[in-house]
Amino acid sequence: SHRRVREHTHMPLSLSLATLSLAFPLRAPPLPPRARVVASAASDDLSALGFRSAAEAAAEQRLRRSRAEEAAGGACAGPSGPASSVYLVGVGPGDVELLTVKALRLMRDADLVLYDRLISPEVLSMVGPQAAMLYVGKEAGLHTRPQEEIHRLLHLYAHAGKSVVRLKGGDPTVFGRGGEELEYLEARGVPVQIVPGITAASGIAAALRVPLTHRDYADSVRFVTGHARSENSAPVAERYRWEVLSDPSQTLVVYMGLSTLPQFADGLLQAGLDASTPAVAVQDGTTATQRVVAAPLGGLATAVEEASLASPTLVIIGRVVSLLREASAGELAAAAAAAA
């Protein structure tokens, strides 16, 4: 067999991270017991925690996406020294060329990188070869690691003196929970730097050649999330101020709203927004797998269901979408594939 079985031994964090570039199986490893996830900073084995090289992380991310397509904690030890900075880095909506120069520099210099499900393999491949990578992605109904555990890991490794980068799709503070991580770390004396990224609304609208505001169509833009907190049991109809969201002179952008799109659209219609209002849903925006479904608001949910769009899908609603030519959806998908 070409696979090698390696015995994990305890390894101090001061050990060179170059050791971590040794070969690991390309399949996603089983998650370690929670007790080992937040062990002492002096004895943690980074490979046992699931850290990988940038190349391995990119390969595993491809495998996770392939599997998804086929299917169509413990107490943290106290800090051992002064904390190094944690960088909350936005990497944009998916197109690797939309990375900022600062994000790219930090990715290339990082010791440890924690990354989400929405980070594309192409972006992960830009991380420096010396970095140890840890997947902490979330998706509906399945969280690899709870947010509280991610907080503790960031705290732990910052106090171990490592350069820690937390990669997030889009912008880290636009529905990315960057604010929660900022509060947690700063309350414990960890310096935090936020590196903004191009949020999905801006990147995807630009790829569609649809302006978010326009003097003749929309004098404001509003970002909302279609995904409620897990403890929020209120029905969609009770979560929003529909009279505000249904303003026809604004552009409405819905993040993470695929599963609630029928109820969300109905709420807007019930509040008086015209059923003929132009709307568009975009899966995997700015990437080679981008898919675009445009339809009037009244028929958007049905069109999206018939097209079997999957997460992540962004929805843009408003008169500016009328500037999207019918022929452009196929052209844009072809252009994204050619640029990949």
Side-chain angles (χ1 to χ4, degrees):
S1 171
H2 66 279
R3 296 175 180 167
R4 298 187 304 162
V5 178
R6 301 179 62 243
E7 178 180 359
H8 293 301
T9 57
H10 287 295
M11 173 171 52
L13 285 171
S14 59
L15 187 61
S16 170
L17 286 171
T19 306
L20 296 174
S21 63
L22 294 175
F24 289 89
L26 291 182
R27 60 181 179 83
L31 296 178
R34 181 175 300 274
R36 295 175 62 188
V37 170
V38 287
S40 165
S43 62
D44 271 342
D45 183 336
L46 297 184
S47 61
L49 285 175
F51 282 99
R52 296 292 183 259
S53 71
E56 290 158 352
E60 289 180 1
Q61 195 79 321
R62 290 189 182 93
L63 181 59
R64 289 187 188 97
R65 293 189 171 194
S66 175
R67 287 175 175 173
E69 290 171 359
E70 291 173 0
C76 179
S80 58
S84 57
S85 291
V86 170
Y87 299 90
L88 306 181
V89 178
V91 300
D95 181 354
V96 69
E97 292 188 335
L98 295 180
L99 280 170
T100 66
V101 173
K102 186 170 186 177
L104 184 58
R105 175 177 60 80
L106 291 170
M107 289 164 58
R108 287 178 172 171
D109 294 343
D111 294 325
L112 307 174
V113 176
L114 287 74
Y115 64 99
D116 286 341
R117 179 177 68 93
L118 298 182
I119 311 299
S120 70
E122 293 76 19
V123 169
L124 287 180
S125 68
M126 305 297 288
V127 175
Q130 81 289 340
M133 312 284 289
L134 181 64
Y135 177 70
V136 292
K138 304 180 183 69
E139 55 188 302
L142 178 63
H143 287 192
T144 299
R145 298 181 193 273
Q147 185 65 36
E148 295 74 16
E149 189 172 292
I150 295 172
H151 290 169
R152 292 192 291 270
L153 286 170
L154 292 170
H155 180 228
L156 175 70
Y157 292 115
H159 276 287
K162 302 300 179 182
S163 173
V164 182
V165 168
R166 174 77 164 100
L167 291 185
K168 292 177 175 286
D171 184 275
T173 59
V174 179
F175 304 124
R177 305 192 74 167
E180 297 171 44
E181 293 171 355
L182 172 68
E183 287 183 307
Y184 180 93
L185 293 169
E186 287 193 335
R188 290 157 179 77
V190 177
V192 179
Q193 293 192 37
I194 297 176
V195 180
I198 296 177
T199 189
S202 297
I204 292 173
L208 296 178
R209 300 192 291 272
V210 170
L212 292 174
T213 62
H214 189 295
R215 290 201 304 173
D216 296 332
Y217 299 96
D219 55 19
S220 63
V221 59
R222 183 181 295 271
F223 298 168
V224 297
T225 175
H227 176 73
R229 298 173 65 131
S230 57
E231 64 269 24
N232 185 351
S233 59
V236 173
E238 299 176 7
R239 294 179 194 168
Y240 304 96
R241 296 174 57 196
W242 297 107
E243 72 280 3
V244 175
L245 299 186
S246 59
D247 181 356
S249 66
Q250 73 179 354
T251 302
L252 187 62
V253 182
V254 187
Y255 288 70
M256 299 174 289
L258 185 63
S259 63
T260 58
L261 181 58
Q263 300 96 318
F264 193 92
D266 185 63
L268 294 174
L269 296 172
Q270 292 294 327
L273 191 59
D274 197 298
S276 65
T277 302
V280 63
V282 185
Q283 174 189 325
D284 297 337
T286 78
T287 72
T289 56
Q290 174 177 287
R291 300 178 63 203
V292 181
V293 174
L297 176 61
L300 182 65
T302 299
V304 166
E305 182 179 7
E306 290 176 349
S308 299
L309 292 193
S311 177
T313 290
L314 186 87
V315 177
I316 304 175
I317 302 168
R319 292 183 293 183
V320 293
V321 181
S322 65
L323 299 174
L324 174 65
R325 295 184 297 110
E326 290 186 9
S328 67
E331 296 172 1
L332 294 167

